[in-house]
Amino acid sequence: MGLKPYLGLRGNALLRAALFFVVCPTFTCYGYNMGVTGGLLTLEAFNSQFPKMDTIHTHGAAYKENSQMQGTVIALYTVGGIFGALSCIYLGDLWGRRKVIFITNFISIIGAILMATSFDFAQFIVARLVLGLGIGGYVATVPVWQSELSPAHKRGSNVVTNGVFMGIGVTGALWIDLGFYFIKNNSVSWRFPLAFQIVMPVMAMFFIAVLPESPRWLIKDGQVEEGRKVLAALLDLDEYSDEVNENILSIETSLAYCPGAWTEMFKNGEQRLFHRAYLAATGQMFQQMCGVNLITYYATTIFQQYLGMNAVNSRVLAASMTMMQPLGGYLAYFTIDRLGRRPLMLWSGVAMTICMAGLAGTTSPSAADNTGALAMAVVFLFCFQFIFTVGFCGLTFLYAAEMAPLQVRAAVNAVSTATVWAFSFMIAQVTPVGFSTIGSRYYIIFAVVNAAIVPSVYFFFPETKGRSLEEIDEIFAQSKSIFDPPRVARAMQKRAKQARELNSDCGDTSTNEVVVSEEVKA
């Protein structure tokens, strides 16, 4: 007998398998690479192998030159990520979600092998680019696949778990870095941490081959019967049940209503595609410009070089600090479908502003010998990591996938993910220079940016909780300006609540989790 389709799983069990066997290893690997290199930059063996990036044993002009080189090499990983993400504009719909995830994981394995076996500076640079190319491709695709599998009432909690997995990856990387720090004068101290990540894409490649394709992509590709089978498995219903038929109808209606070419996302039209692509990219820009990567990439360096701690304590604190990310992700998991996307982003923006302003004050030259100020700086760093994961880690990937209609979802998500990599590149590139030139005042820049996030979200970002992906299309179809979507979303939510109350009064308590609203059908 052959293997049962989708490992014999249906309903919630199938969703959990997709979450833990594909989403978990891919985003854990993504987070792992955000943290692993930063913990190696202060190793003796690493700096002996690549002296052009040594900022520990250099001073004056040599220090500034090496700081720039270090920032460039670390940031080249994000350049690969930009091109990996942008490739999905075309390949995401041509190959489908599963094939793109499989191939990009394979490319990331090649990059990891090249990086762990580097003896030459040029090989290390090429390896960073290849690794970024693979990871950029699957980070642009996995949230789309995940959101297209999930029912409306679970989509937020399912996709926001990406932040938990990213946090686990960052934390794991820094603890592994700490363990191998004690292996002195041996290249295994940095080669093993770089090679360890290979386990995760191998796992993702195996399971994506046996789990279902996105039913929305299958229907878009003309494979309606296969899409029907996947929907039936996800909903744990008969293939020809009314609910499965309703879902197929709503998807086909959305496809008929929206133009198909990916270039349409640069035009507004009735569906306001450019407006939606802009919101998706802006949310992802906020994720990077809040300042998380200046802390994540350079956590060990901040504690050791800029807060004056010894090497062991710096690594322990850096690894402990990133443990705040999984905790923040768990809080987001339990609140995102209850409170909504907007409240989490708004309150997180306020709290991150306070943390960055506090860091600027507690790490200033006037507080250099103040033990209390140093302790508060550590507290602000820990708080920032926790708060970021609640409002901006996995949430912006979810929001970007929700913003785009099916016909251009892969393209919009590719562009929004490329935005993540582009701003990540900028932060990684300028952070060593920023710290070496303006010191603690560098944090003020991010305090201002975080303060600007709050009014931006309030006035321009609509609430999407509880809405099917097709219903979100209707929010923008009813909007006539950039200020309308939040108001339209509130009005639709109010009407939906009134309809539920009316049905309850009439004794009809049935609910349909993923069927499009009557407004969209009309």
Side-chain angles (χ1 to χ4, degrees), residues 14-27 97-98 101 138-152 154-166 208 211-217 230 234 333 393-395 397-399 401-402 409 413 469 514:
L14 183 55
L15 285 172
R16 285 194 293 269
L19 183 67
F20 289 108
F21 296 147
V22 176
V23 180
C24 175
T26 51
F27 271 82
R97 316 315 188 211
R98 290 168 70 225
I101 293 169
Y138 70 62
V139 168
T141 308
V142 169
V144 174
W145 177 72
Q146 187 183 6
S147 65
E148 291 180 342
L149 292 181
S150 302
K154 293 182 179 179
R155 188 175 60 248
S157 57
N158 278 352
V159 182
V160 83
T161 51
N162 298 359
V164 177
F165 301 138
M166 288 166 63
I208 195 64
L211 287 170
E213 178 58 271
S214 157
R216 287 173 167 85
W217 181 82
V230 175
L234 290 169
Y333 175 84
C393 192
L395 193 154
F397 286 102
L398 163 69
Y399 202 80
E402 290 179 329
R409 185 167 294 134
N413 218 61
L469 294 173
V514 290

Side-chain angles (χ1 to χ4, degrees), residues 378-427:
V378 173
V379 170
F380 283 128
L381 286 167
F382 273 67
C383 289
F384 184 92
Q385 287 281 21
F386 177 83
I387 295 159
F388 163 77
T389 317
V390 174
F392 283 91
C393 192
L395 193 154
T396 56
F397 286 102
L398 163 69
Y399 202 80
E402 290 179 329
M403 282 296 99
L406 177 56
Q407 287 280 34
V408 293
R409 185 167 294 134
V412 169
N413 218 61
V415 170
S416 67
T417 306
T419 304
V420 173
W421 291 101
F423 281 93
S424 180
F425 170 82
M426 185 185 75
I427 297 299

Side-chain angles (χ1 to χ4, degrees), residues 295 299 303 316-325 381-382 385:
I295 293 172
F303 285 118
V316 170
L317 276 175
S320 301
M321 179 185 70
T322 56
M323 291 175 70
M324 295 295 101
Q325 286 198 14
L381 286 167
F382 273 67
Q385 287 281 21

Side-chain angles (χ1 to χ4, degrees), residues 439-495:
S440 62
R441 287 174 292 174
Y442 187 54
Y443 293 114
I444 297 174
I445 297 171
F446 298 98
V448 173
V449 171
N450 283 313
I453 287 174
V454 179
S456 300
V457 170
Y458 183 82
F459 288 111
F460 302 112
F461 285 60
E463 182 56 71
T464 56
K465 74 169 182 176
R467 295 286 175 190
S468 72
L469 294 173
E470 288 69 41
E471 286 178 303
I472 295 170
D473 294 342
E474 182 62 18
I475 292 175
F476 289 91
Q478 292 185 27
S479 299
K480 304 304 178 186
S481 75
I482 60 174
F483 296 99
D484 283 350
R487 176 185 57 79
V488 172
R490 285 193 295 270
M492 289 178 64
Q493 200 166 33
K494 184 177 180 181
R495 288 197 296 270

Side-chain angles (χ1 to χ4, degrees), residues 236-475:
D236 197 12
L237 295 170
D238 180 76
E239 288 182 22
Y240 293 93
S241 67
D242 289 342
E243 191 167 335
V244 171
N245 289 332
E246 289 279 1
N247 274 271
I248 291 173
L249 177 61
S250 70
I251 293 168
E252 290 178 332
T253 302
S254 178
L255 286 169
Y257 190 53
C258 178
W262 66 267
T263 53
E264 294 295 324
M265 70 176 171
F266 297 109
K267 306 172 186 177
N268 252 351
E270 292 184 11
Q271 281 285 300
R272 302 191 66 81
L273 299 185
F274 179 73
H275 179 187
R276 297 164 74 169
Y278 175 79
L279 285 178
T282 301
Q284 296 285 48
M285 178 197 72
F286 287 156
Q287 187 207 76
Q288 294 301 306
M289 286 304 294
C290 70
V292 66
N293 273 349
L294 83 90
I295 293 172
T296 303
Y297 281 156
Y298 300 100
T300 304
T301 304
I302 288 172
F303 285 118
Q304 187 169 344
Q305 288 187 238
Y306 304 118
L307 294 183
M309 299 181 181
N310 64 47
V312 174
N313 289 344
S314 296
R315 284 169 170 75
V316 170
L317 276 175
S320 301
M321 179 185 70
T322 56
M323 291 175 70
M324 295 295 101
Q325 286 198 14
L327 295 176
Y330 281 119
L331 179 60
Y333 175 84
F334 288 110
T335 56
I336 190 166
D337 284 322
R338 293 177 175 84
L339 299 179
R341 286 56 161 158
R342 277 165 52 93
L344 293 188
M345 287 193 283
L346 288 169
W347 288 108
S348 294
V350 171
M352 289 190 300
T353 301
I354 295 169
C355 288
M356 282 295 178
L359 279 169
T362 54
T363 60
S364 63
S366 61
D369 299 322
N370 188 322
T371 305
L374 177 63
M376 282 305 301
V378 173
V379 170
F380 283 128
L381 286 167
F382 273 67
C383 289
F384 184 92
Q385 287 281 21
F386 177 83
I387 295 159
F388 163 77
T389 317
V390 174
F392 283 91
C393 192
L395 193 154
T396 56
F397 286 102
L398 163 69
Y399 202 80
E402 290 179 329
M403 282 296 99
L406 177 56
Q407 287 280 34
V408 293
R409 185 167 294 134
V412 169
N413 218 61
V415 170
S416 67
T417 306
T419 304
V420 173
W421 291 101
F423 281 93
S424 180
F425 170 82
M426 185 185 75
I427 297 299
Q429 176 71 56
V430 305
T431 290
V433 180
F435 277 131
S436 66
T437 53
I438 60 175
S440 62
R441 287 174 292 174
Y442 187 54
Y443 293 114
I444 297 174
I445 297 171
F446 298 98
V448 173
V449 171
N450 283 313
I453 287 174
V454 179
S456 300
V457 170
Y458 183 82
F459 288 111
F460 302 112
F461 285 60
E463 182 56 71
T464 56
K465 74 169 182 176
R467 295 286 175 190
S468 72
L469 294 173
E470 288 69 41
E471 286 178 303
I472 295 170
D473 294 342
E474 182 62 18
I475 292 175

